[in-house]
Amino acid sequence: MSSQTVIITGASRGLGAAAARILAELGARVVLNARSEGDLNTVAGSIRAAGGQAIAVAGDISQPAVSRALVETALSQFGGLDAIVNNAGVIEPIAPVAEADADAWQRNLTINVIAPVLLTQAAIPALRERQGRVINVSSGAAIRPKGGWAAYGASKAALNLFNATLALEEPRLTAIALRPGVIDTEMQAVIRREGQGRMSEAEYERLARYHAQGQLNPPELPGRALAVLALYAPPDWNGAFMAWDDERVAALVAQHAGM
């Protein structure tokens, strides 16, 4: 069992909530963030009810003060910080480049790129003390362009490069960008609501078919990989962009989480 402390953003639902619960099951103390305070408190409460340690800090992670508050909470309540998980993200706007709303593009980049940078900056001094880990939740869209997903793909490509650069600049840390695959989360629901006619028809139909046929992964599958990487990712993986079901990740999960 781990006694480490982890900050995770986007923790009120989906992948973030699943990873937070698994981290707590593995013995970690978690500081949770999302904008939706009610849902976030529900997740934190369920962790505490199961015997874990969790603190909810609601707020917009793209605001520097929220990043600082998360780190300060980890230090004051749990005495240190071992890892951060930059999980919060949005897919919108789903639209061709020629038609996409400029404000929606800016919001996407603010949440998907700027927010992870801000939290990482705030956390680096504490993470250095424990040779900690930064796990950035990326996407296959970072390396495979998809029509209508320019903002999302560009933001995740930027996050990958940020991750690789952080690895060069902070060799005592371990920075990993994780591709979590196709998950049954709110992001997929947004795609089904808004994607038809605004993204590749073949890609829209593929994802809709996955949902109809029950082929979307539950968030707990990549969530377990995300949790184990946050706690145990080895230093020689620093800078890597990895899939949640990579053989190396699966072996690490089997070693530390009994699967």
Side-chain angles (χ1 to χ4, degrees):
M1 297 288 283
S2 172
S3 60
Q4 300 183 57
T5 298
V6 181
I7 293 171
I8 180 165
T9 67
S12 63
R13 61 189 181 188
L15 178 61
R21 291 188 176 101
I22 293 165
L23 280 163
E25 289 171 6
L26 295 175
R29 300 164 294 198
V30 289
V31 179
L32 312 180
N33 167 260
R35 288 177 299 168
S36 49
E37 185 172 8
D39 291 342
L40 190 69
N41 285 334
T42 297
V43 174
S46 70
I47 290 172
R48 290 192 293 267
Q53 297 183 70
I55 298 175
V57 180
D60 183 348
I61 193 58
S62 68
Q63 300 300 312
V66 175
S67 291
R68 291 194 297 268
L70 286 168
V71 174
E72 289 166 2
T73 298
L75 298 180
S76 64
Q77 299 299 310
F78 296 135
L81 180 61
D82 298 275
I84 63 171
V85 178
N86 288 310
N87 168 69
V90 296
I91 193 169
E92 303 97 315
I94 302 174
V97 172
E99 302 172 14
D101 179 75
D103 289 340
W105 256 90
Q106 186 171 32
R107 177 175 179 270
N108 182 294
L109 294 173
T110 298
I111 295 171
N112 292 2
V113 183
I114 302 302
V117 172
L118 293 174
L119 179 56
T120 304
Q121 284 181 324
I124 281 174
L127 291 174
R128 284 173 178 160
E129 291 185 10
R130 298 191 176 185
Q131 299 184 43
R133 289 157 297 284
V134 177
I135 312 299
N136 293 298
V137 176
S138 184
S139 169
I143 56 174
R144 291 191 301 271
K146 299 178 184 295
W149 288 20
Y152 184 69
S155 71
K156 293 303 185 180
L159 188 66
N160 280 10
L161 188 60
F162 165 69
N163 184 82
T165 304
L166 180 67
L168 288 175
E169 295 177 350
E170 298 289 339
R172 288 174 58 81
L173 306 185
T174 302
I176 292 175
L178 182 71
R179 177 161 56 93
V182 184
I183 320 169
D184 191 8
T185 63
E186 176 60 23
M187 188 173 287
Q188 285 294 317
V190 170
I191 292 169
R192 293 192 297 275
R193 286 197 306 269
E194 302 182 13
Q196 192 165 28
R198 301 181 66 78
M199 58 183 280
S200 160
E201 193 63 24
E203 182 68 11
Y204 175 82
E205 290 177 357
R206 180 179 73 91
L207 295 175
R209 184 171 62 253
Y210 282 177
H211 176 258
Q213 297 176 352
Q215 294 178 318
L216 297 173
N217 282 329
E220 289 75 16
L221 279 180
R224 187 165 296 275
L226 186 59
V228 169
L229 285 171
L231 297 176
Y232 301 112
D236 59 357
W237 292 4
N238 193 19
F241 173 45
M242 313 179 77
W244 76 272
D245 55 355
D246 182 291
E247 289 183 359
R248 295 167 294 173
V249 178
L252 194 72
V253 170
Q255 178 183 353
H256 293 287
M259 293 184 66

